[in-house]
Amino acid sequence: MAKRKRQPQTDRKEQEKAEDIPENEKIEQEDKAVVTGEVVEEELDDDERSFEELGLEARLVRALSKKSIEKPTPIQRVAIPLILEGKDVVARAKTGSGKTLAYLLPVLQKLFADSPSKSNLAPAVFILVPTRELCQQVYSEVTSLIEQCRVQLKVVQLRSTMSASDLKTSLAGLPDIVVSTPACVHTCLKNGILQAKALQESLSVLVLDEADLLLSYGYEDDIKALTAYVPKRCQCLLMSATSSADVEKLKKLILHNPYILTLPEVGDVKDDVIPRNVQQFYISCSARDKLIHILALLKLELIQKKVLIFVNSIDSSFRLKLFFEQFGIKSAVLNAELPQNSRLHILEEFNAGLFDYLIATDDSQSAEEQNDKETHALKKKSKKHSKKLDAEFGVVRGIDFKNVYTVVNYDMPQTAPGYVHRIGRTGRAYNTGASVSLVSPEEMEIFEEIKSILGENDAEDSKYIAPFPLLSKNAVESLRYRTEDVSRSITKLAVRESRAQDLRNEILNSEKLKAHFQDNPKDLDLLKHDKVLSKKEPAAHLRDVPEYLLDATTKEASKIVKLARAAMGNSGSTNRRGIKGKFKKSRDPLKTFSAEAPKRGRKGGMKRKGKNQEE
Ligand SMILES: Nc1ncnc2c1ncn2[C@@H]1O[C@H](COP(=O)(O)OP(=O)(O)OP(=O)(O)O)[C@@H](O)[C@H]1O
């Protein structure tokens, strides 16, 4: 059905070109051209087309196969052929749905077939992303594909921290692809590092990745300035995980009569934003009791590794790290204050599985909030709070954390879109995952907003945040004394000192890393980021939770989680790879076990009770 619907759009576009249809009618046509989630879903239900069948050439398919990527995701199935045809595309698909390859593969193929003209004086393809971490991520992805395909294409990363001479050197070898942020490209144009005329003549593809974030990161002026140099024939692609007024604005600014692809997996286009392979849970507790709950989750092994824990301030992250250390739990922190090399290295180490717990500070606001305060709000905000914070840092959106099974919201995000992006760090592509949000009474308002966005009363599993079923009151209470004792010892001064200490360490690390990365780009083992920061040696007796503190239900829950982990090939040891979503719901303890009788039934999961509460 959808295929039939899409066909006339092509016809309309051709017709429009031929007949020179007036501007207002074009907009109407564009609106009609919306490929809605429902339509695409129907098409995709039966769409088993392989990468080859989408038109990708063998070299790329082989390169994907080497990365264990065998079948396209839904957004890739729809976007790749359109991009190969040269269409402008706006692709909105859930977090982790494979949007990066959806544009990279066809763009690379076009470059393979049509090597940019030797007379070009500027790069042919620009990929613009909001943060430097994303720059690095996209750059690594392109580079590895090019290497695998053994083609002579050059790709560079331009970062705003680079000196003018480094930027010039990077561009001097005339790269085919540039990955950068809008601000950096704008600076290059302003300073003549990039020749405007040359760009106009050479630019054939412009990608705006994570488009929903670009404006909220304060890049509006930069993007507006760039539009003047984007020739009409340039193919423009806009990728986004959520739809917002900002995406609309960008679309109008840059694209010409694009194909709009909106791909939720199920249900309503607007609301269904969380991948359906992520189970969402919450725990209601006082702000003070969050420490006990997170300790119980980790120490009693009630959640699966790797775990990404979000907090809203840098101090909270250090407080949590120091707290974990006292219980022998090793973790690393990630925040905007750290030097960029350290941040990249922390991400690489975590992705490589060198540690299991990462505490990330995410204090991003919504686009709307930031736009209210004029453009560049984030940059201003960062400057106000601390000169050292990096305005181009983004830990939540777009970063492809590998094999994170559980996302924990230790602090609730400040906005509902923030929640969507945080949860999207798990359940990526065909993987499964879970999230646990610790919600204090003060955070109830945002929690209600999130629930309403997800469709609180909807029967679908994926839209529902259920109470976390594996943690009993007894288990929590059994850890109270230890938690409160340790928590008292983590004073504000201790937090401040460890934060300063960590920063000093990382500044040194960063310098070493810079040199080291140049010589050994693939070496991850140089520096550890999960080092102990506490001045006080952790007490030996806190490392393990003694048997007598655990009730039978909690022991059972913990045992089942371990079994489930083993069944999924996730033994809990680090450095594992590729946990795919082969795991059956019926064997998932989060679906089948309850430490306490659920207050209400729900369709699908959470119906069955624990061993001691057999139905
Ligand atoms: N067809 C595929 N099969 C399996 N894995 C895939 C496939 N395509 C992409 N991936 C992997 O899925 C992960 C998520 O992809 P990607 O980062 O492109 O998602 P995204 O849609 O851009 O998410 P976000 O909106 O959060 O940025 C990556 O690790 C990527 O390598």
Coordinates of all heavy atoms in Angstrom, one line a residue, residues 214-221 365-385 391:
L214 N 20.3 20.8 16.7 CA 21.2 21.8 16.1 C 20.8 23.2 16.6 O 21.7 24.0 17.0 CB 21.2 21.7 14.6 CG 22.1 20.6 14.0 CD1 21.8 20.4 12.6 CD2 23.6 20.8 14.3
L215 N 19.5 23.5 16.5 CA 19.1 24.9 16.8 C 19.2 25.1 18.3 O 19.6 26.2 18.8 CB 17.7 25.2 16.3 CG 17.6 25.3 14.8 CD1 16.2 25.9 14.4 CD2 18.7 26.1 14.2
S216 N 18.8 24.1 19.1 CA 18.9 24.3 20.6 C 20.3 24.4 21.1 O 20.5 24.9 22.2 CB 18.1 23.2 21.3 OG 18.8 22.0 21.2
Y217 N 21.2 24.0 20.3 CA 22.6 24.1 20.7 C 23.2 25.5 20.3 O 24.3 25.8 20.4 CB 23.5 23.0 20.1 CG 23.9 22.0 21.1 CD1 22.9 21.3 21.8 CD2 25.2 21.7 21.4 CE1 23.1 20.4 22.8 CE2 25.5 20.7 22.4 CZ 24.5 20.1 23.0 OH 24.8 19.1 24.0
G218 N 22.3 26.3 19.7 CA 22.6 27.7 19.4 C 23.3 27.9 18.1 O 24.0 28.8 17.8
Y219 N 23.0 27.0 17.1 CA 23.7 27.1 15.8 C 22.8 27.8 14.7 O 23.1 27.7 13.6 CB 24.0 25.6 15.3 CG 25.0 24.9 16.1 CD1 24.8 23.7 16.6 CD2 26.3 25.4 16.2 CE1 25.7 23.0 17.4 CE2 27.3 24.8 16.9 CZ 27.0 23.5 17.5 OH 27.9 22.8 18.2
E220 N 21.7 28.4 15.2 CA 20.8 28.9 14.2 C 21.5 29.9 13.3 O 21.4 29.9 12.0 CB 19.6 29.6 14.8 CG 18.6 30.1 13.8 CD 17.2 30.4 14.4 OE1 17.0 30.2 15.6 OE2 16.4 30.9 13.7
D221 N 22.2 30.9 13.9 CA 22.9 31.9 13.1 C 23.9 31.3 12.1 O 24.1 31.7 11.0 CB 23.6 32.9 14.0 CG 22.5 33.8 14.7 OD1 21.4 33.7 14.3 OD2 22.9 34.5 15.6
Q365 N 18.7 21.4 28.5 CA 17.3 21.9 28.5 C 16.6 21.6 27.2 O 17.3 21.2 26.2 CB 17.3 23.4 28.7 CG 17.9 23.8 30.1 CD 18.1 25.3 30.1 OE1 19.0 25.8 29.4 NE2 17.3 26.0 30.9
S366 N 15.4 21.8 27.2 CA 14.6 21.6 25.9 C 15.0 22.8 25.0 O 15.4 23.8 25.3 CB 13.1 21.6 26.2 OG 12.8 23.0 26.5
A367 N 14.8 22.5 23.7 CA 15.0 23.5 22.7 C 14.2 24.7 23.0 O 14.7 25.8 22.9 CB 14.7 22.9 21.3
E368 N 12.9 24.5 23.3 CA 12.0 25.6 23.5 C 12.6 26.5 24.7 O 12.7 27.7 24.5 CB 10.6 25.1 23.9 CG 9.9 24.5 22.8 CD 10.2 23.1 22.6 OE1 11.3 22.6 22.9 OE2 9.4 22.3 22.1
E369 N 12.9 25.9 25.7 CA 13.5 26.6 26.9 C 14.6 27.5 26.4 O 14.7 28.6 26.8 CB 14.0 25.7 28.0 CG 13.0 25.3 29.0 CD 13.6 24.3 29.9 OE1 13.6 23.1 29.6 OE2 14.1 24.8 31.0
Q370 N 15.5 26.9 25.6 CA 16.7 27.6 25.3 C 16.4 28.7 24.3 O 16.9 29.8 24.4 CB 17.7 26.6 24.7 CG 18.2 25.7 25.8 CD 19.2 24.7 25.3 OE1 20.1 25.1 24.5 NE2 19.1 23.5 25.7
N371 N 15.4 28.4 23.4 CA 15.1 29.4 22.4 C 14.5 30.6 23.0 O 14.6 31.7 22.6 CB 14.2 28.8 21.3 CG 15.1 28.0 20.4 OD1 16.3 28.1 20.3 ND2 14.4 27.1 19.6
D372 N 13.7 30.3 24.1 CA 13.1 31.4 24.8 C 14.2 32.5 25.2 O 13.9 33.6 25.4 CB 12.4 31.0 26.1 CG 11.1 30.3 25.8 OD1 10.7 30.5 24.6 OD2 10.5 29.7 26.7
K373 N 15.3 32.0 25.5 CA 16.4 32.9 26.0 C 17.3 33.3 24.8 O 18.4 33.6 25.0 CB 17.2 32.2 27.0 CG 16.4 31.8 28.3 CD 17.4 31.2 29.2 CE 16.6 30.3 30.2 NZ 17.4 29.3 30.9
E374 N 16.7 33.4 23.7 CA 17.5 33.7 22.5 C 18.4 32.6 22.1 O 18.6 31.7 22.8 CB 18.2 35.0 22.7 CG 17.4 36.2 23.0 CD 16.4 36.6 21.9 OE1 16.8 36.5 20.7 OE2 15.3 37.1 22.3
T375 N 19.0 32.8 21.0 CA 19.9 31.8 20.5 C 21.2 31.8 21.3 O 21.4 32.7 22.1 CB 20.3 32.1 19.0 OG1 20.7 33.4 19.0 CG2 19.1 31.9 18.1
H376 N 21.9 30.8 21.1 CA 23.2 30.6 21.9 C 22.9 30.5 23.4 O 23.8 30.7 24.2 CB 24.2 31.7 21.6 CG 24.6 31.7 20.2 ND1 25.7 31.0 19.8 CD2 24.1 32.4 19.1 CE1 25.9 31.3 18.5 NE2 24.9 32.0 18.1
A377 N 21.7 30.1 23.7 CA 21.4 30.0 25.1 C 22.3 29.0 25.9 O 22.7 29.3 26.9 CB 19.9 29.6 25.3
L378 N 22.5 27.9 25.2 CA 23.3 26.9 25.9 C 24.7 27.4 26.2 O 25.3 27.2 27.2 CB 23.4 25.6 25.1 CG 23.9 24.4 25.9 CD1 22.8 23.9 26.8 CD2 24.3 23.3 24.9
K379 N 25.2 28.1 25.2 CA 26.6 28.6 25.3 C 26.6 29.6 26.5 O 27.5 29.6 27.3 CB 27.1 29.2 24.0 CG 27.3 28.2 23.0 CD 27.7 28.8 21.7 CE 27.8 27.7 20.6 NZ 28.0 28.2 19.3
K380 N 25.6 30.5 26.5 CA 25.5 31.5 27.5 C 25.4 30.8 28.9 O 26.0 31.2 29.8 CB 24.3 32.4 27.3 CG 24.6 33.5 26.3 CD 23.4 34.4 26.2 CE 23.5 35.4 25.1 NZ 22.3 35.9 24.7
K381 N 24.5 29.8 28.9 CA 24.3 29.1 30.2 C 25.6 28.5 30.7 O 25.9 28.6 31.8 CB 23.2 28.1 29.9 CG 22.9 27.2 31.1 CD 21.8 26.2 30.7 CE 21.7 25.2 31.8 NZ 22.4 24.0 31.5
S382 N 26.3 27.9 29.7 CA 27.5 27.3 30.1 C 28.5 28.3 30.7 O 29.1 28.1 31.7 CB 28.1 26.6 28.9 OG 27.2 25.7 28.4
K383 N 28.5 29.4 30.0 CA 29.5 30.4 30.5 C 29.1 30.9 31.8 O 30.0 31.1 32.7 CB 29.5 31.6 29.5 CG 30.4 31.3 28.3 CD 30.6 32.5 27.5 CE 31.2 32.2 26.1 NZ 30.7 32.9 25.0
K384 N 27.8 31.1 32.0 CA 27.3 31.6 33.3 C 27.7 30.6 34.5 O 28.2 31.0 35.5 CB 25.8 31.8 33.3 CG 25.3 32.7 34.4 CD 23.9 33.0 34.2 CE 23.1 32.3 35.3 NZ 21.7 32.2 34.9
H385 N 27.5 29.4 34.2 CA 27.7 28.4 35.3 C 29.2 28.2 35.5 O 29.7 28.1 36.6 CB 27.0 27.1 34.9 CG 25.6 27.2 35.2 ND1 25.1 27.6 36.3 CD2 24.5 26.8 34.4 CE1 23.7 27.6 36.3 NE2 23.4 27.1 35.1
A391 N 30.4 24.0 25.6 CA 29.0 24.2 25.0 C 28.7 23.2 23.9 O 27.6 23.0 23.5 CB 28.9 25.6 24.5

